Amino acid sequence: MTITTRFAPSPTGNLHVGNIRTALHNWLLAKKAGGRFLLRIDDTDVARSREEFVEGIRTDLAWLGITADGEERQSARFALYEAEFQKLVSGGRVYRCYESAQELDLKRKVLLGRGMPPIYDRAGLALSEADHAAKAAAGEAPHWRFLLDHARPIEWMDGVRGFQHFDPAQMSDPVVRRADGSWLYMLPSAIDDVDMGISDVLRGEDHVSNTATQLQMFAALGSDPPAFAHEALLVGSEGKLSKRLGALGMAELREAGIEPEALVALLARLGTSQPVEAITDRDALAAAFDLATFGRAPARFDEAELHRLNAQIVHRLPFARVSHLLPPGMGEAAWEAIRPNLAHISEAVDWWQVVTGPIVAPALEAEDRAFIAKAADLLDAQEWGESPWQALTHALKEATGRKGKPLFLPLRLALTAQEHGPDMGALLPLIGKNSALDRLRAAAS
Ligand code: GLU
């Protein structure tokens, strides 16, 4: 059987790291099996859905390299929902109700006051056709509820949570359609999962009770349900469902210099028993992806960890991947020399400036100035070979007896005006002989 997964965001806001994690996991699940990953835009709520968010979802997924094998929009599928809905009407699996939000609220409060679970009393189900006709004559339109089958216990083997059991008698019949004819999320999603051939639904554990309800919808639609798995939610590093996390979007991460590879590597493994590693190879991530490694405890998202991982990823990004992000003229050798010192690619420009100059000559002690003057003489006289840094430091050591920090630090300062930085062996050839001589002479004077 081909594995087909889907990511089904509602375009009512920007994606945040939690949504992206779900998208990524569905993508990895499909990729591992050589299956298909579909994007479904859940835009049945016309009032709250916005085109700019649809665009944003596509942009964010593209940035992360999470490519969909197909895209559907619920707003283009209303005819299908209507047809399936009519079958449920005929089969008596949906029924008309008229309670207002206030009336429902009151019913709930009364039940809770008596210490009973606030389950809908199915008053709508008791209405006769004459009652409905009277409502219609009074200008009252019904909303519709799905009739749960109380005789049929709900059970499934969840891919993350293991065996799940729900008693439908302890659940309210869900509203599936509003009085204005618009759809709530639950039924269209089940209809789509059937129609789109979804084999596996992987989503957050906030959907567990929806799954219980939807399993009865699949049965009522005459279809086998997909396999379900619910992952623990993402929480902030402080262990709580933080506001910050719910708002942390891709645009902000991009601006902070986070590379998509870093976010993918982190989110792929967060909340699993597999170690978070700087893995840039998507096939490797997919091959290792395994629901059995998912824990039930909330997964902690730590921005500091993301930045650390980002640095590790930047250190191994090949030139071809980053060349368009580098300052003009900065070539492969420079990238390879500089990248170990970067936490974010954008910092490359600062080091390239150090290479190309001009730099501000450091103020050195007299003794170091004499040492640097000696370095200039030796460099001037020396053949500019394959490894000018090794040759220079070797000659200087012989000539002055200096070694370790007193040998290297004044040289680094004179040549780069920085106390720390990329390996001088790689940097000096990039600076070049003339420029290096100028810098040494400036620092010596
Ligand atoms: N649109 C729903 C949501 O964003 C989809 C949930 C699902 O994956 O079925 O919560």
Side-chain angles (χ1 to χ4, degrees):
M1 191 175 96
T2 36
I3 297 286
T4 305
T5 64
R6 72 346 181 240
F7 174 50
S10 306
T12 54
N14 289 316
L15 297 180
H16 52 74
V17 285
N19 309 132
I20 285 294
R21 173 170 173 253
T22 304
L24 174 67
H25 290 169
N26 277 285
W27 184 74
L28 291 170
L29 190 63
K31 195 173 171 65
K32 176 180 182 159
R36 281 157 49 80
F37 166 77
L38 305 176
L39 172 62
R40 189 184 80 204
I41 303 292
D42 278 6
D43 56 351
T44 55
D45 188 341
V46 187
R48 290 177 60 229
S49 298
R50 294 230 301 267
E51 208 49 38
E52 66 181 271
F53 294 130
V54 177
E55 283 303 324
I57 289 165
R58 293 195 191 114
T59 305
D60 288 345
L61 292 178
W63 178 65
L64 288 160
I66 302 177
T67 36
D69 301 302
E71 182 181 317
E72 298 287 349
R73 287 183 76 137
Q74 289 198 317
S75 58
R77 299 165 64 82
F78 288 146
L80 173 67
Y81 309 149
E82 189 66 55
E84 292 301 322
F85 179 74
Q86 289 310 327
K87 289 185 208 162
L88 296 178
V89 173
S90 309
R93 289 308 300 270
V94 288
Y95 62 94
R96 289 163 283 181
C97 302
Y98 299 88
E99 294 92 345
S100 66
Q102 292 89 319
E103 282 167 329
L104 289 172
D105 200 38
L106 190 62
K107 285 188 184 195
R108 261 194 302 272
K109 281 188 181 135
V110 169
L111 288 170
L112 287 169
R114 291 191 200 140
M116 292 161 75
I119 301 166
Y120 177 62
D121 60 9
R122 293 186 160 176
L125 199 55
L127 298 174
S128 66
E129 279 311 313
D131 294 330
H132 289 299
K135 294 275 188 196
E140 271 188 74
H143 57 269
W144 296 78
R145 286 186 188 259
F146 176 76
L147 183 68
L148 291 168
D149 181 352
H150 286 182
R152 192 183 169 117
I154 300 169
E155 290 170 348
W156 79 93
M157 189 52 82
D158 192 281
V160 173
R161 300 164 64 84
F163 182 73
Q164 303 288 299
H165 172 93
F166 280 77
D167 176 4
Q170 296 303 312
M171 296 157 58
S172 289
D173 291 335
V175 176
V176 292
R177 198 170 192 182
R178 298 186 191 88
D180 65 1
S182 64
W183 301 100
L184 280 101
Y185 148 75
M186 213 92 83
L187 182 62
S189 179
I191 293 171
D192 281 340
D193 285 340
V194 173
D195 187 67
M196 292 163 62
I198 302 302
S199 64
D200 292 76
V201 172
L202 171 56
R203 55 189 181 182
E205 67 180 9
D206 49 332
H207 281 288
V208 170
S209 61
N210 287 343
T211 297
T213 306
Q214 285 175 320
L215 282 173
Q216 286 217 346
M217 291 181 181
F218 286 106
L221 294 167
S223 303
D224 288 333
F228 278 94
H230 297 84
E231 51 187 18
L233 298 182
L234 209 56
V235 295
S237 47
E238 67 287 357
K240 282 194 262 155
L241 277 170
S242 70
K243 273 215 179 98
R244 161 109 187 110
L245 200 56
L248 187 56
M250 299 310 105
E252 190 180 329
L253 293 174
R254 263 196 299 273
E255 268 155 40
I258 295 297
E259 298 307 316
E261 290 91 338
L263 191 62
V264 165
L266 180 66
L267 293 179
R269 297 273 175 95
L270 212 58
T272 77
S273 57
Q274 301 196 60
V276 170
E277 290 165 338
I279 302 173
T280 53
D281 177 357
R282 304 288 170 104
D283 292 327
L285 285 175
F289 185 79
D290 184 358
L291 289 180
T293 65
F294 278 66
R296 302 244 342 229
R300 278 173 190 245
F301 178 84
D302 180 357
E303 275 184 81
E305 185 180 17
L306 178 59
H307 281 273
R308 278 196 299 278
L309 195 63
N310 195 64
Q312 289 173 28
I313 297 261
V314 168
H315 300 169
R316 59 183 73 177
L317 288 179
F319 177 67
R321 156 72 177 77
V322 300
S323 58
H324 63 292
L325 304 170
L326 301 179
M330 185 172 163
E332 184 159 8
W335 168 247
E336 283 176 4
I338 286 169
R339 70 181 175 180
N341 282 76
L342 307 179
H344 308 105
I345 295 175
S346 59
E347 296 148 18
V349 68
D350 302 330
W351 285 112
W352 185 237
Q353 163 67 34
V354 167
V355 168
T356 56
I359 61 163
V360 179
L364 299 177
E365 301 291 329
E367 209 182 318
D368 281 341
R369 286 205 302 276
F371 168 74
I372 292 298
K374 181 81 193 157
D377 292 343
L378 286 171
L379 188 66
D380 200 6
Q382 140 191 330
E383 185 94 38
W384 187 262
E386 283 281 287
S387 340
W389 173 255
Q390 283 71 11
L392 174 64
T393 49
H394 185 76
L396 265 171
K397 197 169 163 183
E398 298 279 289
T400 66
R402 286 199 188 198
K403 55 186 183 189
K405 198 172 166 189
L407 172 68
F408 296 116
L409 184 59
L411 276 175
R412 178 181 283 283
L413 274 170
L415 288 165
T416 68
Q418 307 290 323
E419 283 186 27
H420 308 280
D423 174 26
M424 288 303 300
L427 221 47
L428 188 54
L430 296 168
I431 294 170
K433 186 167 186 174
N434 289 341
S435 188
L437 279 174
D438 289 347
R439 292 178 187 192
L440 291 174
R441 291 200 170 114
S445 66

